[in-house]
Amino acid sequence: MRPSSQRWTVARLGCAQTLAWASTYYLPAMLAVPMARDLGVATSMVFAAFSLALLVSALLGPLAGRAIDRHGGRPVLVGTNLWFAASLAGMGMAQGPVGLFAAWALMGVAMGSGLYEAAFATLVRLYGQGARGAITGITLIAGFASTVGWPLSAWMELQWGWRGACFGWAALHLLVGLPLNGGLPGIENAATGQNAPAPAPAPAPAPASEKATQALPTPAASDAPHALRTAVLLSFVFAVTWFTSTAMAAHLPRLLQASGTSLQAAVAIAALVGPAQVVARLLEFGLLSRLHPLLSAQLAAAAHPVGAAILIVVGAPAAAVFTVLHGAGNGILTIAKGTLPLAFFGPAGYGERQGLMMAPARVAQAFAPLLFGLLIDGVGAAALWVTSLLGVAALAALWMLRPVVRQ
């Protein structure tokens, strides 16, 4: 596929992912309170329904990945736009807890087959081992999902109420998301445009970014126990890092306040996460693309524990340093969730394998807001010790994979 065509695909998929994340993952932060007030339930019940959606998405992920492996990403992602629209419309029509939980359960179906994992699998199905740059590209665009989603949800809620905001997001999936995903290329061979693969030409020299990804063998082909060990280690890394990422997304301003930062400063400093993620992803796209993705993942996994240690020792004056380090590490780790399975196992069966490895991460993500909130209630800023230890454990797991790279 021509570079211009790949860039166009990345732009389409990145914009569609921005819409998908803004209207799901970042929705409760703006709408949970008015939603709970109008339905006569506690705000915690809205977040419990959101957790249900994440659990459902964990179950659906492997099935969606298998469908993308077989049929390509376009039909799956187009279908998820319809699921997203239906769940958001159902949410807007909910009259009580039963309707609320039903709508979020339906949302879980869409999230399990329409967020990053599905997008990564789509790119691998299209570009094979050379998908690393494209994966980074869509995360660069979708890194602004909170920047777009939070203000737009707040504006729609102000103009039309929370129900109108849900209907507005549903309309955007039909009017914007559906054409974006519908315009993605099919799974025909990129070079020939045919459904059957053409005879492979002599390989051209790979750019540095692809050489880094192609540097190690795929253990699944020759050593099943070794491949299982690699998959388990990667699943553990994804689970603990997504727990931390979701905990910070839900409680970062409150955590910074617990460390001695004022409310106004905490809100302003927490806003640095988005730019830090994008800058780090630009580094991954440029300088770090010359490294094996495992090495960039190790650097990223170390960022949160280092920042937390600085915040614990220094206190409130180091709040911005911690936030930037956490955001930068989280930005690269999001890419690693797509590039590490590709580097270790190759493109064959990528979608289903990644869905299985990400299922524990979805479960950890579902419980992160509640558990970390209880930690802050109990021990304040010392809750950072938990996420720091999880970060160190993730770094140790990644270090255990180094012999595979040397091999």
Side-chain angles (χ1 to χ4, degrees), residues 224-299:
H226 192 85
L228 178 60
R229 174 179 176 273
T230 300
V232 169
L233 287 172
L234 288 177
S235 296
F236 173 78
V237 170
F238 298 158
V240 298
T241 54
W242 267 47
F243 178 92
T244 298
S245 173
T246 307
M248 293 298 112
H251 298 292
L252 182 57
R254 185 180 169 205
L255 177 68
L256 296 178
Q257 286 182 266
S259 69
T261 308
S262 68
L263 173 61
Q264 294 79 4
V267 172
I269 292 171
L272 296 174
V273 168
Q277 289 184 142
V278 172
V279 170
R281 288 168 183 170
L282 287 171
L283 286 174
E284 163 67 20
F285 192 72
L287 180 63
L288 295 179
S289 67
R290 299 180 178 275
L291 303 176
H292 190 278
L294 179 62
L295 300 179
S296 58
Q298 288 171 335
L299 293 173

Side-chain angles (χ1 to χ4, degrees), residues 138-165:
I138 66 167
T139 62
L140 277 171
I141 299 171
F144 292 100
S146 61
T147 306
V148 173
W150 284 338
L152 188 53
S153 288
W155 181 82
M156 288 192 289
E157 194 275 330
L158 182 65
Q159 297 296 317
W160 310 318
W162 71 268
R163 296 182 187 275

Side-chain angles (χ1 to χ4, degrees), residues 148-228:
V148 173
W150 284 338
L152 188 53
S153 288
W155 181 82
M156 288 192 289
E157 194 275 330
L158 182 65
Q159 297 296 317
W160 310 318
W162 71 268
R163 296 182 187 275
C166 292
F167 293 137
W169 282 118
L172 286 173
H173 274 283
L174 297 177
L175 299 176
V176 178
L178 200 60
L180 285 173
N181 285 325
L184 293 172
I187 59 174
E188 61 268 11
N189 183 267
T192 65
Q194 304 298 317
N195 289 328
S209 61
E210 294 184 20
K211 286 180 181 178
T213 305
Q214 296 170 353
L216 58 101
T218 56
S222 59
D223 187 352
H226 192 85
L228 178 60

Side-chain angles (χ1 to χ4, degrees), residues 3-86:
S4 59
S5 299
Q6 182 170 336
R7 286 194 293 268
W8 184 238
T9 299
V10 169
R12 278 181 171 275
L13 197 49
C15 292
Q17 283 295 297
T18 301
L19 172 60
W21 282 92
S23 60
T24 58
Y25 187 79
Y26 295 109
L27 192 72
M30 293 293 105
L31 300 187
V33 172
M35 191 181 295
R37 183 174 57 243
D38 188 44
L39 294 176
V41 299
T43 304
S44 59
M45 183 169 289
V46 178
F47 282 100
F50 177 52
S51 295
L52 173 63
L54 294 172
L55 291 174
V56 172
S57 73
L59 297 175
L60 268 292
L63 298 177
R66 186 186 307 163
I68 293 173
D69 289 338
R70 293 179 177 177
H71 308 295
R74 182 172 60 192
V76 174
L77 291 173
V78 166
T80 61
N81 285 123
L82 301 177
W83 282 107
F84 280 130

Side-chain angles (χ1 to χ4, degrees), residues 21 25 116-118 120-121 124 135 139 234-246 277 281 284 293-294 296-297 300-301 329-343 345 350-351 353-355 357-358 360-362 365 394 398:
W21 282 92
Y25 187 79
Y116 271 150
E117 290 77 26
F120 295 162
V124 171
I135 288 173
T139 62
L234 288 177
S235 296
F236 173 78
V237 170
F238 298 158
V240 298
T241 54
W242 267 47
F243 178 92
T244 298
S245 173
T246 307
Q277 289 184 142
R281 288 168 183 170
E284 163 67 20
L294 179 62
S296 58
N330 189 63
I332 294 177
L333 285 169
T334 299
I335 299 171
K337 294 174 180 70
T339 57
L340 286 178
L342 176 62
F345 296 101
Y350 175 93
R353 183 183 297 110
Q354 196 206 30
M357 286 193 292
M358 286 300 299
R362 291 288 190 191
Q365 184 184 30
L398 290 169

